[in-house]
Amino acid sequence: RIGISKPAYCTGIGKILLAFQSPEKLKNILHGIILSPHTKNTITNKKVLYNKLREYRKIGYSIDDEEIEEGLFCVAAPIMDKSNQIIAAVSISLPKYRAENRVEGLINLVIKAGEKISTEMGQK
């Protein structure tokens, strides 16, 4: 929904933006927030979230599987600048039932979109 703010720790875009922060900055960010549950899937343990974000950085995309809203599934990928720093992200969100049996294809589409935009932004 346009104009609505959601917590970064439980959204696809927010998690990929967090994942590509330096370890020190990420630890400072996580130290200063309370991880409130929005659904039964929301990660509310900071150590678990930190480890998940490190994994997302490694694999190059994040997933929100009903963490902010029941029935909502999201995949997000980073958009990098010419110095290989994250400057934005791209995502696709859809009802969970429409994502079933299509997750790998959605991941590939979002990663390719992020790579294309990053290239156009000057990433080498």
Side-chain angles (χ1 to χ4, degrees):
R1 288 165 224 134
I2 297 171
I4 301 285
S5 294
K6 302 283 183 170
Y9 65 90
C10 55
T11 65
I13 291 265
K15 289 193 291 182
I16 202 67
L17 291 170
L18 289 171
F20 279 85
Q21 300 304 309
S22 70
E24 301 80 31
K25 186 170 185 179
L26 179 56
K27 285 179 183 178
N28 286 335
I29 291 168
L30 293 180
H31 178 73
I33 62 173
I34 296 170
L35 304 179
S36 301
H38 293 268
T39 71
K40 63 181 170 55
N41 292 348
T42 306
I43 298 170
T44 57
N45 178 295
K46 290 182 183 183
K47 184 175 175 104
V48 170
L49 179 61
Y50 182 84
N51 290 335
K52 197 66 154 164
L53 294 171
R54 297 290 90 199
E55 176 188 343
Y56 291 149
R57 183 179 182 123
K58 188 181 219 181
I59 63 176
Y61 66 91
S62 68
I63 290 179
D64 163 9
D65 189 2
E66 297 185 292
E67 292 175 54
I68 188 66
E69 186 177 319
E70 288 187 29
L72 183 66
F73 182 85
C74 177
V75 177
I79 296 173
M80 312 301 268
D81 67 8
K82 63 184 175 185
S83 61
N84 210 36
Q85 297 298 308
I86 191 164
I87 55 169
V90 61
S91 72
I92 185 168
S93 296
L94 63 159
K96 170 111 181 202
Y97 75 90
R98 291 188 63 206
E100 292 174 5
N101 301 317
R102 299 172 55 194
V103 173
E104 288 302 316
L106 295 169
I107 290 168
N108 289 333
L109 286 172
V110 172
I111 288 173
K112 285 180 183 175
E115 289 172 347
K116 184 174 181 358
I117 297 167
S118 295
T119 299
E120 291 178 11
M121 297 300 293
Q123 184 192 31
K124 297 177 182 174

